[in-house]
Amino acid sequence: MQSAELSKASTIYPQQRFLHTSFHAGSFWARWRHVAYNSTIPAQLSMLKRTGRYRAFDLQWQEYYTAPKKVWPVPEHFAWDSDIGKFVEGVCYFLHEHPNPELRAEVDYLVDLVINAQQPDGYLGIHYTVVEPGKRWTNIRDMHELYNMGHLMEAAVAHKQLTGQDKFVRCILRLVDHLCSVFGREEGKLQGYCGHPEIELALLRLFNATGETKCLDLAEFFLTERGQENGRFYTEEQAHRGEHPQVQPDMFLKPRSYWYMSAQQPIVDTETIEGHAVRALYLYVAAADLGTTPLSTKHKDITDSAWRLWRNMSTAKTAVTGGVGSIYQTEGFALNYQLFNSVDEGGSYNETCASIAQLMLADRLQLVHGLEAIKIGDVAERVLYNSSVTTGMSLDGSAFTYENPVASCEGFPGKRHQWFDVCCCPPNVLRTLGILGGYMWSPLANGERGIAIHHPFAGDIEHRDLRVSMETDYPFNGAIRLRICGSGSVKIRIPGWACEAKLPEKPGADGYLTLAAGTHRVDFAIRPRLIYSHPYTRDDHLTLAVGPLVYCLEDVDNPFEKFHFKHLTIHESILDHLEPMLSPDGVTFYRAAGQGRQMLLPSSEELTLTELEHDVQLSEERLDLVFIPYYYRANRAGGHGQYRVGLKRRHIY
Amino acid sequence: MQSAELSKASTIYPQQRFLHTSFHAGSFWARWRHVAYNSTIPAQLSMLKRTGRYRAFDLQWQEYYTAPKKVWPVPEHFAWDSDIGKFVEGVCYFLHEHPNPELRAEVDYLVDLVINAQQPDGYLGIHYTVVEPGKRWTNIRDMHELYNMGHLMEAAVAHKQLTGQDKFVRCILRLVDHLCSVFGREEGKLQGYCGHPEIELALLRLFNATGETKCLDLAEFFLTERGQENGRFYTEEQAHRGEHPQVQPDMFLKPRSYWYMSAQQPIVDTETIEGHAVRALYLYVAAADLGTTPLSTKHKDITDSAWRLWRNMSTAKTAVTGGVGSIYQTEGFALNYQLFNSVDEGGSYNETCASIAQLMLADRLQLVHGLEAIKIGDVAERVLYNSSVTTGMSLDGSAFTYENPVASCEGFPGKRHQWFDVCCCPPNVLRTLGILGGYMWSPLANGERGIAIHHPFAGDIEHRDLRVSMETDYPFNGAIRLRICGSGSVKIRIPGWACEAKLPEKPGADGYLTLAAGTHRVDFAIRPRLIYSHPYTRDDHLTLAVGPLVYCLEDVDNPFEKFHFKHLTIHESILDHLEPMLSPDGVTFYRAAGQGRQMLLPSSEELTLTELEHDVQLSEERLDLVFIPYYYRANRAGGHGQYRVGLKRRHIY
């Protein structure tokens, strides 16, 4: 296979489709991408330089390498390789649209540094070359060695796609050769897999970009080996290090709790999604990928597992914002329906990277299952607009969130940060915005000609001889004007919430409306609605949503609040009292005059037990409320970072 | 001080007061004690014999000692000493009322075995004498060495009280001499404290029984040393064992999480009650005890801490049944208001021993604070009738619970067991029922003459020249006839829920009614009421309570149920529809005809996200419900162990 051709022609990956997608200037997503290019890239480049990462592949000693470990056993720099990888990858995507020679030079510099860091035997990695040479592959459970390489693989594919140059991919293929000599079921090889999945999906991208079957074979090995005999590999690896069996990393809740990294059992036997959310999701992205990868037809059970675990996650483990992962210590999933609102309730971690991984998995599953699985797009939409790129980055592109609780609490106000010690999220947001167009649509599955638009946007799609142009103010307005030229079907997803959509005809059973060439108007009829808590979550909350956006209250607009809106109640009839207000930057807020009443709770001095002897009393005072999109929080001066999404439901007006 | 005199005259401890208390035959508590004496004692004796414990103090090798460890690093037999100690202690209490020579011979045999097991230097303990000689005091964090000794101390005090013989107490005082040579702040001594508190409260009992100030000094040392420098002792102890700092016991959630055993900071600095519930409570019992112990006046800050932590527990960490400790892995407290209903919601451990410890702490605090702290009795009552002795033992005295979730769930049905591998709860119930009368009242504090009755019962109290006789069917009926002879005040607690009590006069600000000699009738006017969830718990539940009893539904009486009553709703107006029904054994059940409606929840196939798009629908069908006291569950044939206390509140009828 001619890999360059394959890569250009194919639209299997959003990393390919984004090249066929453009956003109209000034539109919702164009503004996010504009900010990412103009602010985020320079800001992150400057942080990479300030923190030692930028030059780390020169393999010189840095003072950072001896910093005390905050999370045993990993040193602070353990994932630097991946930070460089994701940044290079992200910048490459933006350089397609903005051929900026200065920025291109930075990419070339970093790529050459990486290539030159490759060891004679093909090994590539900072820590085990500079800090602990001779200790390679002694702790793949914790040290992210293969994870880092996976991100370099993704960067190499992006670099080749941008430049047409083979050098980085060739370096990476030498690395794959090396990995094949280290890992496998043959005598003398390591029968192991990385504690943090990533290399599996990267190897499949590399296979699809190069046609090198060794990449597929190695990915299949990692995916089928994982979790065998309850993760025995890690137990033995620990023994080989000479560690007592009860020695445990800080992230584990118990010794040998390999469910933390989805390695407690093989993928095909796993019934519920557990542990560290990003690890689980990257793993299942690769599992789903096997279903769309040519030459890989023998793993339907693995691909089916990805779907099963997606369903478990979406229906039982997803916050109303789309975020996933309640537990702080594991950055991971809790029990089914165990969704807390805030840190003081038990956790509401909802890592930005986890939601980015949800977008990746939704995309893979849509390709595998076609549009039969009609609800994928509804979930992906929730994530796209509320818990991933918009929430993870400030409006000005300079600050980020790692965790995204659905409510603040004492000690955990809403806040954004320029950088993090372990800095996975910021470059992940960058690279996702880079390929954003690719997530908006995909080619129809099963050989059908045409495309499915999962998320409407103001912009254009070109696919083979199809041209689709959309005019819309989505997500604030549900009216969309589509102009379609060329042959093939264009399907557009009608969101589950759009019950009153004005459509030229009824959508199909798959939830998509099929349109032919010509000009069409559809209107999703966006209006405020309320989302109700699933009773198993124990909350009785009402959440305001408008179209794809979930709304919250923030104390910037509601300065009366002192208890993080934990005492505030609203009644269902609030829907009759909402008035839209346009913010200076064109975002729709909603005002609800006199619709809030505070619960009057006894002080702990008045309590005898953790209960009330009488029904909760409510304030007579009726408070004016202003709702803003959840992603919009922690972006303005004023307030003390108090915010909340779901509000206690009041059953009397 | 003449210790025997001191012990007999004093009424500081419930272990002394019970001798001045008697229950009328056939009354509520007399029946429990009757069952305990006639069934529980022989059943437990038989289990002690079958499991190797009975003869363990003969210091011969047993096959059990090599059993694989289920919870690292403790072997299964690590607390056998305490099982013997608590059993002997409990039987001694019952022998006062029932001088049974055969049973007395068992006690004498066991006590002699213990005394003979004492080593020449005073050391006393099975494991480090038989299994790992030479390794004493190498792991006091995990191995319960001092905990076991504490229970032997309590047994020795009880034995002397029964028999007047000094031999066991003398043996224990030699042990204390040995401990004083091992522990202390002097050069060369261990500056440590036991992972499981118990010895502190036992030493204080021993001091009060013997007047030996070395016991007080050692208790003060343990109580003031605990938690210094964030539990540095345990970190150093681990290093001395040659263990890697990340080696951790299975019960910890993280390496060095010494909050598990309330050793993360000194008692006086601790603001919230954390970790293993029994450990925390035994510790704070001793802390409170310092406030009533003669010669110990310099630790008001520690006694105050016990009160502060009691308040935190009762107002923010106590289940509606009175149970404490949500988390299974730690058998311990969760965050404030983090109270789950069942294992599938995150845990609802509520260990029987923890509630027994709540009774102990309530008793100590009542003595320290007098009756100023008016709500202690209300909390203790909830615990006494719902989460401790009545719930922890079957009606026939032969089976026990360790955990007491407030609702069952799949995989965790309501169930009782004959025995447990780690068998702390059954003998703890036994010894608590043995001294039960002592918890019902206490002498007035601050030198005032008279007594305070905390819990009414059918029976008699004699205190100095006061004689109080009560006739009542409490807890099923709130009418109480009191006959008081002699001089001094008799105060009786008017429960917080008894708003409509018929009383001869108003109770004082302390919540107690003061009565003089003569005959009095009071009626607490017991009628069904509803308890409301604290909104911070996130539940919106209604719990039926009648007098001191909390009620539940069990599928034995409600055979329609298939979802552990998780979908069942009730409306506040259920109070107008309750009809009492007498069970064959004289317990009041309540029937509510047509008051239940099931929520009709979408299946997970119908869900898109973990939320509902519309308000919950309710069944049209109106179900008849039968409520039983919570303690009564899991006592009858039929059903599948499904039960629930708090039911989802329905806001429309």
Side-chain angles (χ1 to χ4, degrees), chain A residues 275-569:
Chain A
H276 190 275
V278 181
R279 298 182 194 224
L281 285 160
Y282 280 10
L283 179 66
Y284 302 136
V285 167
D289 261 346
L290 278 184
T292 58
T293 295
L295 311 184
S296 171
T297 52
K298 52 187 189 290
H299 296 296
K300 186 170 180 315
D301 52 350
I302 292 186
T303 314
D304 287 348
S305 300
W307 171 242
R308 178 174 69 246
L309 294 160
W310 165 269
R311 286 292 296 162
N312 169 243
M313 171 178 70
S314 298
T315 60
K317 299 193 176 191
T318 301
V320 68
T321 54
V324 291
S326 302
I327 306 296
Y328 266 66
Q329 187 175 337
T330 60
E331 303 181 322
F333 295 102
L335 298 173
N336 282 347
Y337 303 102
Q338 201 180 23
L339 296 164
F340 308 106
N341 296 284
S342 47
V343 178
D344 65 351
E345 285 186 357
S348 179
Y349 198 73
N350 303 338
E351 184 178 338
T352 302
C353 280
S355 279
I356 287 172
Q358 283 169 287
L359 294 179
M360 293 161 61
L361 181 52
D363 178 77
R364 314 321 293 146
L365 290 172
Q366 274 165 335
L367 278 184
V368 176
H369 291 273
L371 304 175
E372 285 161 50
I374 61 172
K375 293 164 175 171
I376 296 176
D378 280 356
V379 179
E381 177 185 87
R382 185 72 64 84
V383 172
L384 178 63
Y385 283 97
N386 301 284
S387 61
S388 58
V389 289
T390 53
T391 211
M393 190 167 94
S394 63
L395 295 169
D396 68 3
S398 70
F400 307 90
T401 62
Y402 205 117
E403 309 133 41
N404 301 287
V406 298
S408 61
C409 66
E410 285 309 293
F412 292 84
K415 205 170 165 182
R416 296 175 187 278
H417 303 264
Q418 272 198 293
W419 198 248
F420 305 97
D421 289 340
V422 176
C423 205
C424 46
C425 301
N428 220 354
V429 170
L430 178 69
R431 68 175 186 152
T432 304
L433 286 170
I435 58 163
L436 192 76
Y439 281 120
M440 298 299 181
W441 63 279
S442 53
L444 294 178
N446 309 320
E448 214 184 330
R449 275 180 69 87
I451 64 167
I453 300 170
H454 309 303
H455 310 289
F457 61 94
D460 305 311
I461 300 167
E462 299 193 8
H463 178 63
R464 304 186 192 226
D465 66 339
L466 260 180
R467 304 274 175 285
V468 181
S469 184
M470 286 173 280
E471 306 285 341
T472 182
D473 285 328
Y474 204 76
F476 299 113
N477 190 311
I480 305 149
R481 186 170 162 276
L482 296 102
R483 207 148 47 90
I484 302 170
C485 311
S487 62
S489 298
V490 173
K491 292 184 164 218
I492 181 163
R493 186 179 60 87
I494 311 304
W497 47 261
C499 322
E500 299 175 47
K502 290 174 200 136
L503 309 175
E505 57 184 293
K506 254 184 80 140
D510 59 9
Y512 282 72
L513 177 72
T514 305
L515 301 170
T519 301
H520 307 272
R521 284 175 194 278
V522 298
D523 189 345
F524 293 167
I526 285 182
R527 53 186 51 112
R529 67 185 192 282
L530 294 173
I531 295 171
Y532 295 78
S533 307
H534 191 295
Y536 281 10
T537 65
R538 305 168 61 202
D539 281 326
D540 186 14
H541 282 175
L542 297 174
T543 296
L544 177 65
V546 188
L549 296 170
V550 168
Y551 277 69
C552 72
L553 295 176
E554 190 179 35
D555 62 352
V556 179
D557 314 287
N558 303 278
F560 61 83
E561 185 53 43
K562 301 285 171 278
F563 300 100
H564 301 268
F565 304 97
K566 203 166 185 167
H567 298 184
L568 192 75
T569 67

Side-chain angles (χ1 to χ4, degrees), chain A residues 37-238:
Chain A
Y37 175 73
N38 287 289
S39 303
T40 313
I41 290 177
Q44 294 194 355
L45 186 60
S46 142
M47 288 307 295
L48 290 174
K49 289 181 177 173
R50 275 170 54 190
T51 60
R53 288 162 171 84
Y54 182 79
R55 59 189 171 86
F57 272 104
D58 68 6
L59 306 182
Q60 300 304 302
W61 182 267
Q62 297 197 27
E63 56 181 327
Y64 300 103
Y65 296 157
T66 50
K69 295 173 182 181
K70 290 188 191 154
V71 180
W72 193 88
V74 292
E76 294 282 294
H77 64 274
F78 75 114
W80 278 14
D81 313 51
S82 74
D83 297 336
I84 294 296
K86 276 190 287 196
F87 180 74
V88 165
E89 183 191 355
V91 171
C92 283
Y93 299 141
F94 280 94
L95 283 173
H96 284 277
E97 189 180 334
H98 305 276
N100 172 337
E102 202 179 323
L103 195 53
R104 169 67 192 269
E106 296 283 8
V107 165
D108 288 341
Y109 171 79
L110 285 168
V111 166
D112 286 339
L113 216 52
V114 172
I115 293 171
N116 289 330
Q118 187 164 39
Q119 300 300 294
D121 61 358
Y123 187 89
L124 189 51
I126 299 166
H127 181 82
Y128 289 106
T129 307
V130 181
V131 185
E132 291 194 290
K135 291 213 172 177
R136 291 179 193 172
W137 314 124
T138 55
N139 187 356
I140 64 170
R141 185 189 68 190
D142 302 325
M143 286 295 287
H144 289 45
E145 218 165 345
L146 291 163
Y147 165 91
N148 282 329
M149 292 171 182
H151 277 302
L152 294 177
M153 287 176 190
E154 293 204 85
V157 173
H159 183 255
K160 180 171 172 186
Q161 183 184 37
L162 173 72
T163 63
Q165 294 172 6
D166 259 347
K167 61 180 178 181
F168 197 4
V169 163
R170 272 191 282 114
C171 155
I172 290 298
L173 287 173
R174 283 194 301 275
L175 170 61
V176 174
D177 286 332
H178 174 66
L179 295 179
C180 289
S181 76
V182 174
F183 289 94
R185 295 201 177 82
E186 298 85 2
E187 188 67 30
K189 292 188 179 178
L190 286 177
Q191 214 162 321
Y193 35 84
C194 188
H196 198 318
E198 155 65 22
I199 194 160
E200 299 82 356
L201 72 86
L203 283 165
L204 291 173
R205 274 189 72 188
L206 196 57
F207 168 66
N208 277 287
T210 64
E212 294 281 357
T213 52
K214 62 190 174 195
C215 303
L216 173 61
D217 294 343
L218 189 58
E220 286 180 334
F221 165 76
F222 286 136
L223 288 169
T224 52
E225 193 58 32
R226 191 172 200 89
Q228 295 295 339
E229 298 177 56
N230 309 113
R232 185 170 59 91
F233 175 81
Y234 293 143
T235 303
E236 292 180 358
E237 189 192 54
Q238 178 159 346

Side-chain angles (χ1 to χ4, degrees), chain A residues 72-73 243-244 246-256 311-322 329 335-341 343-347 375-376 378-379 382 496-497 499 529-541 563 566-567 572 599 601-602 604-616 648-649 651, chain B residues 72-73 243-244 246-256 311-322 329 335-341 343-347 375-376 378-379 382 496-497 499 529-541 563 566-567 572 599 601-602 604-616 648-649 651:
Chain A
W72 193 88
E243 284 173 11
H244 190 283
Q246 294 287 128
V247 165
Q248 84 167 52
D250 282 336
M251 314 78 84
F252 280 24
L253 291 182
K254 277 198 175 192
R256 299 171 296 288
R311 286 292 296 162
N312 169 243
M313 171 178 70
S314 298
T315 60
K317 299 193 176 191
T318 301
V320 68
T321 54
Q329 187 175 337
L335 298 173
N336 282 347
Y337 303 102
Q338 201 180 23
L339 296 164
F340 308 106
N341 296 284
V343 178
D344 65 351
E345 285 186 357
K375 293 164 175 171
I376 296 176
D378 280 356
V379 179
R382 185 72 64 84
W497 47 261
C499 322
R529 67 185 192 282
L530 294 173
I531 295 171
Y532 295 78
S533 307
H534 191 295
Y536 281 10
T537 65
R538 305 168 61 202
D539 281 326
D540 186 14
H541 282 175
F563 300 100
K566 203 166 185 167
H567 298 184
E572 280 185 325
M599 291 188 285
L601 298 179
S604 68
E605 283 74 39
E606 294 170 271
L607 287 176
T608 304
L609 282 153
T610 323
E611 62 191 34
L612 303 182
E613 288 163 32
H614 304 286
D615 199 0
V616 175
K648 198 90 178 173
R649 179 182 181 181
H651 290 268
Chain B
W72 193 90
E243 285 172 10
H244 191 282
Q246 294 287 129
V247 166
Q248 84 168 52
D250 283 335
M251 313 80 82
F252 280 26
L253 292 181
K254 277 199 176 190
R256 298 171 296 287
R311 286 293 296 163
N312 170 241
M313 172 178 68
S314 298
T315 60
K317 299 193 176 190
T318 302
V320 69
T321 53
Q329 187 175 337
L335 298 174
N336 281 348
Y337 304 100
Q338 200 181 23
L339 295 165
F340 308 106
N341 296 283
V343 179
D344 65 350
E345 284 185 359
K375 291 164 178 173
I376 296 176
D378 280 355
V379 179
R382 184 71 63 84
W497 48 260
C499 322
R529 69 187 193 279
L530 294 173
I531 296 171
Y532 295 78
S533 308
H534 191 295
Y536 281 9
T537 66
R538 304 169 60 204
D539 281 326
D540 185 13
H541 283 176
F563 299 102
K566 203 165 185 169
H567 298 183
E572 279 185 324
M599 292 188 283
L601 298 179
S604 69
E605 284 71 41
E606 295 170 90
L607 288 176
T608 304
L609 282 152
T610 322
E611 62 190 34
L612 303 182
E613 288 164 31
H614 305 285
D615 200 359
V616 175
K648 198 90 180 174
R649 178 181 182 180
H651 289 269

Side-chain angles (χ1 to χ4, degrees), chain B residues 253-269:
Chain B
L253 292 181
K254 277 199 176 190
R256 298 171 296 287
S257 49
Y258 303 133
W259 52 261
Y260 169 72
M261 60 255 301
S262 299
Q264 78 281 21
Q265 61 199 139
I267 295 172
V268 296
D269 298 330

